[in-house]
Amino acid sequence: MPMDNWLSTTWEPNWRSLQYFNLYRLVVAGLFLLAFLFPHYLTARLNLFPTPVNLLLTGGYMAFVIAGLLLSIYWQKRFNMQLSLQVLVDILVVNLIMLGTGGAGSGLTVLLLVSLAAASLVGRGRLVLLYAALATLAVLVAQIYGILALSFEESSIVQAGLISTGFFATAILARLLGQRAMTQENLARRRGIALDNQIRISQRIVERVQDGVLVVGADGRIIRHNPVARAMLGLSGDGIQALPSPLADGLGQWANGGPESLQLTGFADRRLLARFEHTASSDREQLIFLEDLGRIQERALQMKLASLGRLTASIAHEIRNPLSAISHAGELLREERRGEMHDRLLRILNDNVLRLDRIVQDVLLLGRQNRAQPEAVVLDSFCPAFVENFVATESLASGVVSWQSGGGMVLCFDPAHLHQILWNLVSNALRHSSRGPGAVRLEAVVVADAGWIELHVIDDGPGVPDEVREQIFEPFFTTHHTGSGLGLYIARELCAANGGSLTIGANAPGGHFIIAGRNDTCLPPEASADRAQN
């Protein structure tokens, strides 16, 4: 705040300071009343006598001060008016009492100095000079009246003038002091607000980060942690608690010059990476960052697949044109019919062209999967129609692919996506089955989780070998010489887009795949990552 604006500048009303000011005035009024009860020799210098006028002035003054104190507590409005009224009463009462005690020489003017100083500390703008001017005018008028009517010494007017000068000096100095105090208070308040906002923002950031964050005290106990760390380590709620022993051991080794990171296992079946860092805290607090290695690997895989998808999609576009030319050339050669060997080579050529075309279609499908539009799919209507269509397309005997009624179950799924997923799964199941009656079964099952149902695709083949179960959903992984390795990967991605999951079950005794989805809401939900991992 510039010093040249020390009179014009204002600040917010300080009601607490006004209340303290009124308490001081209440004490002064009480001392006045007690002075009348003391022996005269103790108050001789003040010339205070318990006259009816003094008792009336002091009693009225106390009543007014009490009323002002109550107003400053229960009616915090019109700050300037309340303060000015209290100061005016002080000036009036003190001057009236001084007329009966000898004027300015009685020493009671000190009470006005204190009142002016207090009012200048909490006052606003140019009012502080008004208070000093009113006090000066009142003291000079009272002193002149005393000289003319009450036989005061004429020289006492000089003393009154010096005291009046002190009124202005006190008001100005108190004003400057109050200005400095208010400036520091405002600065401290703004910094406090900024610090509080920064703390709130930092807390929200820490809560939202994907890594776990622990703040550990010098005694090795957890002081604070974010929700991610609580979930990773299975910690209880807020509050100081012990650090798990593997982390405590790693922290101790790091403090003694050991490695800055530590891999942990056994926490909710996760593999965690803990990193230790010093802080500049005077309490010697330490930071521990926890990262889920599985999530890091999954993110790296997603980035790899995204890059691979863009690359393969561009390659697929380039392959499709020459592939069409090869197919067309093969059809032209087929019309010449030069012999059995010629026909056999053309069949090989055509089969491989179809295989390449299927791979190109799968790759292009990866890059243009439509957003899921789930709706209520009645399985007792959808699945029989799908089975009939599949059997007719593949020229199968009746009963090879069967549907076990789900009792009116409803699955919230995009019908086009569900058709594509089932076609892929049933085709795989048929390829590994005996192709006899009931070789491939579709079954709907209600699961324990509220709002979830499962659609099972089961075949009577040899089942999925244990050594490939972990890789079966990876892109471009296939066990069939004519497969693209993208069918199951695309099927799982479509399930996730519909808020469900595709998992492989235990051999029953053949292959067993499970489509899980909701039946209680058909809004497009987020993919259930936790369910997909089970």
Side-chain angles (χ1 to χ4, degrees):
M1 184 182 298
M3 295 300 292
D4 55 353
N5 293 331
W6 66 277
L7 282 177
S8 61
T9 53
T10 60
W11 45 73
E12 293 297 321
N14 196 330
W15 291 100
R16 180 61 59 86
S17 297
L18 180 58
Q19 293 165 15
Y20 290 150
F21 177 46
N22 284 324
L23 285 174
Y24 154 73
R25 298 170 64 242
L26 186 61
V27 172
V28 170
L31 291 176
F32 272 131
L33 290 176
L34 289 176
F36 296 138
L37 302 178
F38 292 158
H40 179 65
Y41 68 88
L42 294 177
T43 60
R45 292 182 60 86
L46 296 176
N47 293 321
L48 286 174
F49 299 99
T51 62
V53 175
N54 285 339
L55 289 175
L56 180 62
L57 280 174
T58 308
Y61 180 60
M62 175 168 281
F64 195 87
V65 169
I66 293 174
L69 178 60
L70 294 177
L71 280 175
S72 65
I73 296 175
Y74 298 108
W75 193 69
Q76 295 185 352
K77 298 179 180 179
R78 299 184 178 274
F79 180 84
N80 286 340
M81 184 190 73
Q82 290 194 39
L83 177 61
S84 299
L85 192 59
Q86 301 299 330
V87 173
L88 289 176
V89 169
D90 283 0
I91 294 172
L92 179 62
V93 171
V94 172
N95 275 281
L96 289 176
I97 293 176
M98 283 196 308
L99 283 176
T101 59
S106 64
L108 294 180
T109 52
V110 174
L111 298 177
L112 286 179
L113 288 173
V114 175
S115 293
L116 286 174
S120 299
L121 284 173
V122 300
R124 307 174 71 189
R126 293 182 173 85
L127 287 176
V128 294
L129 291 183
L130 175 62
Y131 301 151
L134 291 175
T136 298
L137 184 61
V139 168
L140 292 176
V141 169
Q143 197 65 26
I144 293 172
Y145 175 78
I147 292 172
L148 296 177
L150 302 177
S151 302
F152 289 176
E153 294 182 5
E154 295 180 359
S155 60
S156 62
I157 193 65
V158 178
Q159 184 179 4
L162 293 175
I163 292 173
S164 299
T165 304
F167 290 160
F168 281 95
T170 300
I172 293 173
L173 291 175
R175 171 68 181 183
L176 292 175
L177 179 61
Q179 173 185 326
R180 183 178 294 274
M182 289 298 178
T183 301
Q184 295 300 322
E185 181 181 341
N186 289 335
L187 179 60
R189 182 167 58 250
R190 290 196 301 269
R191 288 182 176 176
I193 293 173
L195 180 60
D196 182 67
N197 292 336
Q198 188 63 43
I199 290 175
R200 292 176 182 271
I201 294 172
S202 299
Q203 287 178 343
R204 183 58 59 89
I205 291 174
V206 171
E207 289 174 359
R208 297 298 182 187
V209 297
Q210 298 296 317
D211 295 337
V213 181
L214 299 173
V215 181
V216 182
D219 58 353
R221 304 184 70 185
I222 300 174
I223 301 175
R224 291 181 297 277
H225 59 271
N226 66 344
V228 177
R230 181 165 59 245
M232 285 180 173
L233 301 179
L235 301 175
S236 58
D238 295 332
I240 298 177
Q241 49 193 302
L243 192 66
S245 55
L247 270 177
D249 296 340
L251 181 62
Q253 295 174 7
W254 169 71
N256 294 323
E260 296 183 355
S261 60
L262 174 69
Q263 289 196 20
L264 304 171
T265 56
F267 292 99
D269 298 328
R270 296 182 178 180
R271 291 193 306 117
L272 304 178
L273 177 66
R275 294 185 293 106
F276 309 104
E277 288 191 13
H278 289 291
T279 67
S281 170
S282 59
D283 295 332
R284 296 183 300 159
E285 296 172 339
Q286 312 293 345
L287 283 175
I288 300 179
F289 295 97
L290 300 174
E291 298 180 78
D292 190 338
L293 291 178
R295 185 175 61 85
I296 294 175
Q297 293 174 352
E298 180 180 354
R299 188 165 53 196
L301 178 60
Q302 291 296 330
M303 293 176 63
K304 178 181 178 181
L305 292 177
S307 300
L308 182 61
R310 290 191 294 269
L311 175 62
T312 51
S314 62
I315 295 175
H317 277 291
E318 297 298 327
I319 291 177
R320 207 163 197 183
N321 290 332
L323 193 62
S324 298
I326 295 173
S327 177
H328 183 64
E331 292 297 329
L332 293 177
L333 289 174
R334 187 185 299 277
E335 295 177 0
E336 296 185 7
R337 297 185 177 278
R338 294 184 178 181
E340 183 178 349
M341 178 60 69
H342 185 265
D343 291 341
R344 178 170 171 270
L345 293 176
L346 286 176
R347 281 195 304 271
I348 295 174
L349 175 65
N350 185 63
D351 290 344
N352 282 276
V353 166
L354 292 176
R355 181 188 174 192
L356 285 174
D357 186 63
R358 185 167 58 252
I359 293 174
V360 169
Q361 290 179 0
D362 288 343
V363 170
L364 293 177
L365 183 63
L366 282 175
R368 59 169 183 258
Q369 290 180 10
N370 295 326
R371 181 179 176 85
Q373 297 179 347
E375 59 183 68
V377 178
V378 180
L379 295 182
D380 277 337
S381 300
F382 182 87
C383 290
F386 168 81
V387 170
E388 181 179 357
N389 183 20
F390 184 86
V391 169
T393 302
E394 298 292 331
S395 301
L396 300 175
S398 177
V400 174
V401 180
S402 63
W403 157 247
Q404 183 174 338
S405 175
M409 292 184 186
V410 174
L411 179 64
C412 293
F413 223 91
D414 187 313
H417 289 178
L418 182 59
H419 186 278
Q420 183 177 348
I421 294 168
L422 285 178
W423 196 281
N424 185 285
L425 294 178
V426 173
S427 297
N428 285 344
L430 181 65
R431 187 163 56 244
H432 295 92
S433 70
S434 64
R435 290 181 173 262
V440 180
R441 306 193 313 274
L442 299 180
E443 300 177 2
V445 178
V446 177
V447 296
D449 293 346
W452 287 87
I453 65 172
E454 292 178 348
L455 185 58
H456 295 245
V457 179
I458 306 170
D459 64 69
D460 61 356
V464 180
D466 293 338
E467 59 270 16
V468 301
R469 293 176 72 90
E470 295 294 329
Q471 303 170 275
I472 197 131
F473 290 112
E474 293 183 3
F476 303 108
F477 176 81
T478 181
T479 58
H480 195 268
H481 66 280
T482 62
S484 66
L486 292 173
L488 290 177
Y489 174 74
I490 294 174
R492 188 178 66 169
E493 292 297 305
L494 291 177
C495 283
N498 285 269
S501 63
L502 174 61
T503 57
I504 182 171
N507 291 333
H512 181 194
F513 290 86
I514 305 169
I515 303 170
R518 302 199 67 86
N519 68 345
D520 57 350
T521 175
C522 287
L523 296 176
E526 296 295 332
S528 178
D530 293 338
R531 187 174 183 87
Q533 291 175 358
N534 295 334

